Amino acid sequence: MNGAESLVATLVDQGVDICFANPGTSEMHFLAALENPRMRSVLCLFEGVATGAADGWYRMKDAPASTLLHLGPGLANGLANIHNARRASSGMVNIIGEHSTSHLKYDPPLTSDIEGLARPLSHWVRRADSAGAIAWDAAKAVAKASEHPGRIATLILPGDTSWQEAGAPVAAPRAAAVRKKPDAARIEHVARVLRSGEPALIILANKATRGAALEKAGRVAAATGARLGSQFFTARIERGAGRVPIERIPYAVPQAQAFLRGFKHIITVETREPVAFFSYPDKPSLLKSEGSVVHPLVEDDEDSALAFDMLLDALGAGSISPILQPRIETPVPTGALNPVSVAHALAAALPENCILVDESLTTGRESMGHTMGALPHDLINNMGGSIGYATPVATGAALACPDRRVFCMVGDGSAMYTIQSLWTQARENLNITTIIFANNSYAILKAEYANMGAGTPGARALSMIDIDRPRIDWLAMAKSMGVPATAVDSAEGFYKAMTDSAREPGPSLIEVRL
Ligand SMILES: Cc1ncc(C[n+]2csc(CCOP(=O)(O)OP(=O)(O)O)c2C)c(N)n1
């Protein structure tokens, strides 16, 4: 067995059985090792698709995928979506090909400081230095990526370590990720705050917005009258009819301040106190009102479901039931497309148990409120704010959950960053409906221009914000990558295109002409 075979075998033994790859010459032995039938390999035509897909996989599986990237430049191309994954607490194992140690000293063209590129966005970086030790390194990488919260692990693979003889893999046994027990004194403190009856908001994030933790948070809210909120962006929320509803803190600073006004206490769970996305000349960075106090319930590595159990015990509220979101039937909208009719069409069309990946920016700004009572679904947001995350994340989510339809709502500007995802979706026949909101503009930047107090944009500034010269041909774009596409220009047309797409297996694209 050579080093590359040892690496792939170890990844699979440790539970990492998918690799989002974009290979080069230095990774040929790794490619050969991907013949291992236990590893699924998925070709991505840009590294940002590979790293975003690994993020999408983690969001749905709570387990890391691997990526294979070509030396420093391949890693650099993937960094923006590694940033987004890191901000979402998604774990991933990045394997970065590298020149052989003996070749590096001649400074061949693809030489770069891979550690230097990896380190700012990785929690763990290691250079494999022998084929025999690579299994150990790979097991360490998987263990790091699988921690709670998920971590970015980067393993650099020099060519010679991949082709030299490795012997039988020697790796640490697979270890289950441990979430620590929360501190009892802190739980008691939060219980006191909640018993005071003063207005409190519990902000849920990461793994507390789903499953048992969400249900228990709902019971705490029912017992105490506290409200449940989320940041504007959350890694994954289980929402819709029958789920514990969570209110979303708005994006715009004045609206966020208005929402938070009146809460004497903010209790944070797997997140920090709400901050504005950007600093504006005349607006604050922190969004809470003066005099309100922030109380973290858990540390990042602690178990929030357990924290809510302890809190329910402390409150003597063990038997109380949460208040659940009722189903709201939304009639199919007709007429012009705008954020409200788009939201109504979504609420009417979303099938039960679908996954909604949201990078819809201005067009989707009404969608969350109107889909509260839709059939139950999962919602995924862009935690790092680096646009171009949605189509790759949808790709990874669809591979992780082949029985569920993924709806990927994306602005036309954002879609252009990583549109190559469509090709992978067609090749792998993934059940993804990509919804392109074609307003031919970076519309949000027009609003931000005003928010910043930069005055009225001149012709040159506007030409940096409009993307309509030339107009992007979405139908041709989709067709070129093997994805069937349709364009709609009415709310009823949008609804019909969504429901049609959910009936057909495989990917499709809807251009929503705004
Ligand atoms: C990597 C990266 N580059 C640039 C930006 C700045 N940015 C934020 S939103 C945006 C335009 C988004 O346009 P679109 O997806 O069409 O949505 P719309 O604003 O039109 O609703 C840009 C360029 C960013 N967030 N991330």
Side-chain angles (χ1 to χ4, degrees), residues 359-363 385-387 411-415 417 437 439 441-445 467:
E359 194 170 39
S360 57
L361 304 194
T362 56
T363 311
S386 174
I387 60 175
D412 48 4
S414 301
Y417 284 65
F437 290 123
N439 60 7
S441 159
Y442 286 167
I444 194 170
L445 297 189
I467 57 170

Side-chain angles (χ1 to χ4, degrees), residues 2 46 73 134 192 195 243 250 253 256 290 299 323 339 345 364 387 397 407 442 447-448:
N2 66 25
F46 176 65
I134 210 158
R192 262 197 307 277
R195 272 195 299 259
R243 299 257 169 83
V253 172
E290 222 178 285
E299 289 294 323
I323 297 162
I387 60 175
F407 287 88
Y442 286 167
E448 292 290 41

